[in-house]
Amino acid sequence: MDSFKATLTTQSSAGEVSTETKATLWYAKDDKYRIEYKESEYLDETTMVWDGSEYTVYNESSNTVYKMDSSDDQDMGMDMNFFESLGTGLEEANLTYEGTATVDGHETHVLEVHGETEDNATSMIYLDADNYIPRKSVSETSYDGETISSSTIFSDIAINCVSDDTFTFEAPEDAEVVDMTEDDSDSDDSSSDDGNNWDGGESDQSDEWDDCEEEMNDDDAKEGDSDSDGA
C-alpha cells in the first residue's frame, strides 16, 4: 500500500458544547498528506497540505494562503500531522492490545493508548485487520476539571489511488499569500511575489475522488460476490 484516501467524520464535545466536522484526507506512505474540511464550525472550507517539506494552509472564505515550515505549526499550537494526533507521543505512551472489534462492518484490532501526562489523556485506535488503516479513533482528556472527548470515523476508504500531484496545492491567482517560513526575511515583500507563483484554477481532487470511488466500489462488489459465494 502506497497511499489511501478517506472521509473523516469527527464528533467532539467539551462540557455542554459539541461539534461535528467532516473532511477528506489523502495520505501517502512518505508522510505527505492533504486534508480538506468541508463541514466544520472552525475550519470550514479550509485545506491543509504537507508536501514533505512545507505546510500550506488555505482558507477559502478569506481567500488566504499560509505557508509554514515544520516549526511554525508548533509555535502556533497546531498539530498538522493527523496521525500524530491519533495518539500523542506514541513512542512514550503505554500501549495495550484490547483484542478485536467490528467498526462499520470491518474487523479491527484495538489499541489503547495511555499518555504519561497530567491530563490523563487516553485514546482508542481501531486498525483495519486487513490493511491496518485506522477505521476509528476515540480520545478523552481532562482539562481544568472538564472532560474533552473526540471520536473520528474513517469511511469511503480507497487504497493506492492518490497521485503525487495531490500534495501540490494550487491557489486562486487573487489569493493573498502569507509566507511564514523560517528563511523568509521579508514576509511582506515575498507575499506579493509569491502570489504570482501560485497557479490559478480549481483543484483536481474531485476527479481523482471519482476514480477512487470507482475503485472502491469495485472492491465492495468483489466483497459482496465473495460473501454471496460463502453463503
Side-chain angles (χ1 to χ4, degrees):
M1 182 174 62
D2 295 320
S3 62
F4 76 91
K5 186 175 186 290
T7 298
L8 276 56
T9 303
T10 301
Q11 294 182 332
S12 304
S13 64
E16 298 181 355
V17 179
S18 61
T19 60
E20 180 174 285
T21 298
K22 290 188 177 181
T24 303
L25 168 70
W26 294 261
Y27 196 86
K29 68 178 182 180
D30 52 0
D31 286 337
K32 295 179 180 179
Y33 61 90
R34 178 188 186 114
I35 304 178
E36 294 185 358
Y37 292 91
K38 297 302 182 183
E39 297 180 32
S40 172
E41 183 175 353
Y42 302 105
L43 294 170
D44 194 27
E45 297 183 343
T46 296
T47 298
M48 299 181 179
V49 180
W50 168 247
D51 64 4
S53 61
E54 184 177 86
Y55 292 117
T56 300
V57 180
Y58 173 67
N59 182 265
E60 185 175 341
S61 60
S62 64
N63 199 23
T64 304
V65 177
Y66 298 91
K67 298 167 62 179
M68 299 178 285
D69 61 21
S70 58
S71 64
D72 287 322
D73 68 308
Q74 299 297 327
D75 295 338
M76 298 176 65
M78 301 172 63
D79 188 0
M80 301 290 288
N81 192 323
F82 180 81
F83 286 102
E84 286 184 1
S85 69
L86 285 179
T88 303
L90 284 178
E91 294 84 357
E92 300 176 358
N94 297 315
L95 294 169
T96 58
Y97 180 65
E98 298 295 327
T100 62
T102 301
V103 176
D104 196 22
H106 298 270
E107 183 179 9
T108 65
H109 295 292
V110 185
L111 294 178
E112 185 170 6
V113 184
H114 298 275
E116 296 181 353
T117 58
E118 294 181 358
D119 56 7
N120 297 318
T122 60
S123 300
M124 303 290 290
I125 303 175
Y126 299 76
L127 303 176
D128 192 289
D130 293 327
N131 52 40
Y132 296 100
I133 291 177
R135 286 282 176 180
K136 180 180 179 180
S137 70
V138 180
S139 64
E140 185 173 293
T141 185
S142 299
Y143 179 76
D144 197 22
E146 188 173 81
T147 298
I148 302 173
S149 62
S150 177
S151 175
T152 298
I153 297 292
F154 291 67
S155 60
D156 302 329
I157 295 175
I159 297 173
N160 292 340
C161 62
V162 181
S163 68
D164 202 49
D165 293 340
T166 302
F167 311 107
T168 300
F169 182 75
E170 296 182 358
E173 292 182 352
D174 60 346
E176 178 186 0
V177 178
V178 180
D179 195 329
M180 304 172 63
T181 55
E182 285 185 339
D183 59 354
D184 178 24
S185 58
D186 191 346
S187 59
D188 292 335
D189 293 339
S190 63
S191 295
S192 58
D193 293 339
D194 287 341
N196 297 325
N197 294 332
W198 291 97
D199 294 331
E202 298 295 328
S203 168
D204 295 330
Q205 299 314 309
S206 58
D207 294 337
E208 181 180 326
W209 183 221
D210 291 339
D211 296 338
C212 289
E213 284 186 320
E214 182 177 352
E215 176 181 334
M216 182 174 56
N217 291 334
D218 289 344
D219 291 341
D220 291 341
K222 292 177 182 178
E223 290 180 5
D225 292 341
S226 63
D227 292 341
S228 299
D229 295 340

